[in-house]
Amino acid sequence: MEQIQAAVSGALQGSLFALMALGLSLTWGFLRVINLAHFGIILLGAYLTIELAGPTGLGPLGSLLVTVPVLFVAGAVVHLVFDRFEVSELNSLLISYGLLIVIIQVVQNVWSADFQRLPGDINPYATQSVRIGDLIFPLPTVMAALFALVLVVAMKYFLDKTYAGRALQAFGQDREIASAFGIDHRMLGLLLAGASGATAAIAGMLFTLRGTVTPDSALEWVGLVFAIVILGGIGNVAGTLWAGLLVGAVSGLVAIVWTPATSPLVVFTLVVLALIFRPQGLFRRKAAH
Amino acid sequence: MRPTRLISLLVALALIVAACGGDGGDATTTTAAGGTTTTAGEGGTTTTAGGPSGDPIVVGGSLSLTGAFGATGVIHRIAGELFVERLNDAGGLLGRPVVWDVRDDESVTDNVATLYEQLISQEGVDLIIGPYATPNIQAAMPIAERHGFVLPQHTAVLAPTLNYSCQFPAWSIGYTPNEFIPHQLADAMESLDGIETVAVVTNQSGSVSFVSYGRPDVDEPAALEIFPERGFEVVADIPYPPGNTEWDAIATQIRSADPDLVMLNGLGVDANGLMEAMLALDGYLPPMMFALFPAPGPLLALAAENDYGILSVTMFEPNDTVLEGLSAEAAEIAQEFAARAADAGVPYTTFETQAAASWNAWEILIQGVEGAGSLDHQAICDYLHENGADLTFVGHVEFDPEKNNFWETNQMLKQVQDGDWVVVWPEDKAAAPLRGPSN
């Protein structure tokens, strides 16, 4: 029972990282932008939640009314710059890393380097749980899983069932041909990058429900989130969620069977093996590009 | 604009923003009665009316003002600035104003040695003061030793590894902290009824893991041996990596083991992460919990919200009963520090162990120089070995070279009680009695 509890709790926790990975995977897969600044936008989402949740009386969930549109615009603006200057995939990695450092420094200057958390009276979710039989699940991770599920389903629907989504897929596969068919890739790119920013706002809010945040938190997320993007398959929306759940479950299970210190070893061994044997990701039948 | 130019532009922008950071870059401090501020490195000579005069004595050092240790680094910066300002107001050092050239090591240990080398070799500082955090201090120490500089250091407590004879610790848990900390906790737990089992949870960082396991390749007792010797059963031994963010599995293991006491040898907000994960398991918390080296503000907030008497270590807490035993200056310093920390936007403004360690380091340095009557480092080192130092928040300490200058510890245990950290152990220094699970 202890192992099941740890695996399911880990999977739920992994869904939060899947949510963080979603925006990165989308912009990487469809826009060919490896946007490390995405982690900075998540960080901004977390700090804006802390800033807004209490003083405005909105609470953490209500703060999304502000953070989602603001960070939608932030995501779109970042992409606008990349698009305007036709930044290559590799250069986007370098530039967005610089942007990430800028955002971290700005956050530190505004909110200080100290640990910040939502106080208990504003964030009652932190210590609440959902019980199913003998299994107990922290409410914030259940909320993260629900948000991740809803967003993945919505994004999957958008990509598979709408003209804009199919156009984006076409653009992701072959820019020139897609442009020749009259696809307005600039507008669609902005929309997708904005949506990526919006998911970052939600991920940032969910992170504050569970933990304490510092400016350096953004750097701590990078390894695990990249692992999920790679395992899920770049640009594979459903795969990202599955990979998040898998990484979380494996991590939780390894932690309880061996030690928590062994988890990163196992997870990143999995990533290395995936890159060798399944470079297209664990949940995709053929190569993405 | 081509992509390469764009990259250059953004990198430049990053550097500008980083340089504009309030805490970053080369810095600052404080001379003087007149409130004059000199930026070190500009070669400025500062004279202030009615105060110290002549060329300033420059004290060089680094602090982690940004990066992982930044939250604590800022405490040391504020304490140091306050100390230097008060020192200059009181006439300076050897009649001369003091300037503190503090540089940001960005919490990157590799930067520390370079910065200390620059400060000593290129900037020609007169004195140095240590950085914050054990790995950074260990990086600065060989540079100080090579140049023969006295190194007062704030927080490195693993005494056997700090063997430079002119490093002077400002925080001491004795020569064998791996034994002292578990024994002190065991002493406190024995005073309570019903504490029989322990779960030991350990961050694998070198700053704390020695308390659970001892040092690598050295056969020495630590918590996992000491607790059974003292009659406690260790029901779980859980190591986790530094930077761990996934606490659910650890919380699950602890709840299954059902210990009477959790000893968390962790850092920063590890205790918050673990407590929140345990609370999410149907409100579970172990009867007693101890957290080594936590971020005191966030842990106080969480424990107080849950009315939970978590324990930690302390060298100084501004409890009324503690302050009553010290000079009036101690309360004044604590108050002034709190005001400055609030101005600096530091969420937890209390002058406690970290700030006290910083104050101690400055007092050790200044008393060494005053005692030696010169800036000769060997003379300062010899003076401190022979005379010790009188520390505002600790009292008199002696530096025994046989014990790598680590003085008899004044470490106490503190507990969250009624929304505040309160010294509870040992009993003769306690501001309030230790509360057990039933309280």
Side-chain angles (χ1 to χ4, degrees):
Chain A
M1 186 56 73
E2 195 184 50
Q3 283 81 358
I4 296 170
Q5 168 80 60
V8 180
S9 289
L12 292 174
Q13 177 74 9
S15 65
L16 171 59
F17 288 105
L19 197 49
M20 291 182 177
L22 185 59
L24 184 67
S25 184
L26 284 170
T27 52
W28 192 352
F30 294 108
L31 306 179
R32 305 287 173 85
V33 169
I34 309 171
N35 184 15
L36 289 178
H38 184 69
F39 295 99
I41 299 176
I42 298 171
L43 188 72
L44 284 172
Y47 274 92
L48 287 172
T49 301
I50 291 171
E51 188 70 32
L52 294 167
T56 60
L58 286 170
L61 290 175
S63 68
L64 290 176
L65 293 171
V66 179
T67 58
V68 166
V70 166
L71 296 183
F72 180 98
V73 172
V77 167
V78 169
H79 181 67
L80 191 66
V81 174
F82 285 136
D83 191 48
R84 165 68 182 79
F85 296 105
E86 297 178 357
V87 176
S88 69
E89 196 167 338
L90 177 62
N91 280 354
S92 71
L93 181 74
L94 302 173
I95 294 169
S96 63
Y97 180 71
L99 271 176
L100 172 62
I101 300 301
V102 169
I103 293 171
I104 289 172
Q105 189 63 48
V106 167
V107 165
Q108 183 159 301
N109 289 351
V110 173
W111 284 284
S112 88
D114 218 336
F115 304 101
Q116 308 269 350
R117 61 184 284 274
L118 285 169
D121 55 339
I122 295 164
N123 176 24
Y125 315 106
T127 55
Q128 291 178 2
S129 51
V130 175
R131 179 182 272 276
I132 302 172
D134 289 336
L135 299 175
I136 305 165
F137 306 113
L139 184 57
T141 56
V142 174
M143 290 167 71
L146 290 174
F147 268 104
L149 187 64
V150 168
L151 286 171
V152 162
V153 168
M155 193 56 75
K156 186 92 181 118
Y157 179 84
F158 168 75
L159 289 170
D160 290 347
K161 305 291 182 189
T162 66
Y163 169 77
R166 287 198 293 267
L168 267 172
Q169 292 194 55
F171 181 69
Q173 285 168 15
D174 194 318
R175 289 181 172 210
E176 283 74 25
I177 298 285
S179 298
F181 276 84
I183 289 173
D184 183 359
H185 66 86
R186 286 218 152 86
M187 185 51 71
L188 288 174
L190 285 179
L191 188 66
L192 190 71
S196 168
T199 64
I202 295 168
M205 180 278 292
L206 289 165
F207 187 81
T208 64
L209 295 187
R210 193 64 209 285
T212 309
V213 65
T214 74
D216 281 346
S217 297
L219 298 173
E220 290 169 6
W221 300 325
V222 173
L224 202 56
V225 170
F226 255 94
I228 289 168
V229 170
I230 290 163
L231 289 174
I234 297 161
N236 184 347
V237 173
T240 304
L241 179 59
W242 287 121
L245 296 173
L246 177 69
V247 165
V250 168
S251 197
L253 202 57
V254 169
I256 208 149
V257 173
W258 289 296
T259 67
T262 322
S263 292
L265 189 74
V266 173
V267 168
F268 286 97
T269 302
L270 202 60
V271 172
V272 170
L273 292 175
L275 280 170
I276 293 170
F277 296 109
R278 300 276 302 177
Q280 74 274 28
L282 297 180
F283 306 99
R284 181 174 271 168
R285 290 207 180 102
K286 56 186 178 184
H289 306 303
Chain B
M1 191 184 292
R2 302 175 75 84
T4 47
R5 287 182 63 194
L6 177 65
I7 294 169
S8 306
L9 182 67
L10 288 168
V11 170
L13 181 64
L15 292 171
I16 290 164
V17 172
C20 289
D23 297 330
D26 290 358
T28 71
T29 295
T30 319
T31 64
T36 310
T37 298
T38 295
T39 300
E42 292 176 355
T45 300
T46 305
T47 306
T48 50
S53 60
D55 289 340
I57 291 172
V58 180
V59 182
S62 82
L63 283 175
S64 300
L65 299 173
T66 55
F69 302 139
T72 316
V74 71
I75 293 172
H76 291 279
R77 179 175 63 80
I78 294 167
E81 286 174 354
L82 179 59
F83 184 94
V84 174
E85 197 175 305
R86 289 172 67 95
L87 176 69
N88 284 321
D89 285 350
L93 181 59
L94 306 177
R96 293 162 60 187
V98 172
V99 169
W100 181 23
D101 184 354
V102 57
R103 302 186 176 203
D104 183 8
D105 59 44
E106 299 168 344
S107 305
V108 178
T109 300
D110 289 348
N111 290 346
V112 174
T114 307
L115 286 172
Y116 276 83
E117 190 64 57
Q118 278 176 355
L119 285 162
I120 295 171
S121 303
Q122 294 170 25
E123 303 295 343
V125 298
D126 301 294
L127 302 165
I128 55 171
I129 191 157
Y132 157 71
T134 300
N136 292 350
I137 292 162
Q138 286 172 325
M141 202 169 66
I143 311 300
E145 185 169 12
R146 182 149 44 82
H147 291 279
F149 269 51
V150 168
L151 178 71
Q153 55 89 1
H154 307 79
T155 55
V157 294
L158 190 48
T161 66
L162 299 159
N163 52 12
Y164 171 41
S165 62
C166 293
Q167 70 81 28
F168 292 92
W171 181 359
S172 174
I173 313 179
Y175 188 67
T176 51
N178 47 298
E179 294 180 48
F180 183 85
I181 294 168
H183 275 301
Q184 186 178 51
L185 184 58
D187 290 343
M189 292 302 104
E190 280 175 353
S191 74
L192 301 171
D193 290 330
I195 307 296
E196 294 169 357
T197 57
V198 187
V200 179
V201 185
T202 311
N203 186 321
Q204 291 176 312
S205 158
S207 295
V208 286
S209 64
F210 64 91
V211 179
S212 297
Y213 304 113
R215 283 175 294 148
D217 306 324
V218 179
D219 184 19
E220 59 188 6
L224 285 164
E225 284 182 44
I226 290 168
F227 277 114
E229 281 170 15
R230 296 287 300 262
F232 297 90
E233 183 190 353
V234 176
V235 292
D237 165 22
I238 309 171
Y240 61 89
N244 182 58
T245 53
E246 295 179 52
W247 295 101
D248 292 338
I250 300 175
T252 302
Q253 273 181 291
I254 292 173
R255 195 177 63 132
S256 296
D258 193 24
D260 300 320
L261 166 70
V262 170
M263 182 188 203
L264 173 63
N265 293 322
L267 293 164
V269 288
D270 290 358
N272 279 66
L274 181 56
M275 261 187 75
E276 280 165 353
M278 290 192 297
L279 282 163
L281 295 176
D282 243 5
Y284 168 77
L285 283 174
M288 296 297 289
M289 183 169 164
F290 164 88
L292 185 66
F293 308 150
L299 185 56
L300 173 66
L302 181 61
E305 277 166 17
N306 292 280
D307 195 21
Y308 187 57
I310 195 165
L311 292 158
S312 188
V313 294
T314 183
M315 170 166 60
F316 172 78
E317 293 296 319
N319 301 149
D320 287 345
T321 47
V322 175
L323 286 168
E324 280 165 16
L326 300 171
S327 67
E329 194 189 11
E332 188 187 305
I333 292 164
Q335 227 167 16
E336 177 65 22
F337 174 89
R340 288 176 183 230
D343 287 346
V346 176
Y348 185 64
T349 59
T350 303
F351 186 99
E352 46 83 68
T353 295
Q354 292 289 343
S358 208
W359 205 266
N360 289 349
W362 280 100
E363 287 189 323
I364 290 165
L365 180 66
I366 298 311
Q367 288 179 30
V369 173
E370 285 173 342
S374 76
L375 297 173
D376 180 90
H377 283 269
Q378 193 55 52
I380 298 167
C381 186
D382 291 343
Y383 176 85
L384 289 170
H385 280 144
E386 286 163 21
N387 299 281
D390 294 306
L391 307 179
T392 304
F393 296 97
V394 177
H396 184 74
V397 298
E398 294 283 347
F399 302 111
D400 180 358
E402 295 294 313
K403 294 181 177 175
N404 291 349
N405 296 333
F406 276 78
W407 28 281
E408 192 178 336
T409 182
N410 72 327
Q411 179 176 281
M412 303 170 284
L413 296 180
K414 63 182 178 181
Q415 184 175 38
V416 173
Q417 293 188 358
D418 307 322
D420 209 352
W421 283 111
V422 179
V423 175
V424 294
W425 197 266
E427 286 171 319
D428 61 335
K429 294 179 181 173
L434 170 64
R435 292 180 185 172
S438 60
N439 299 118

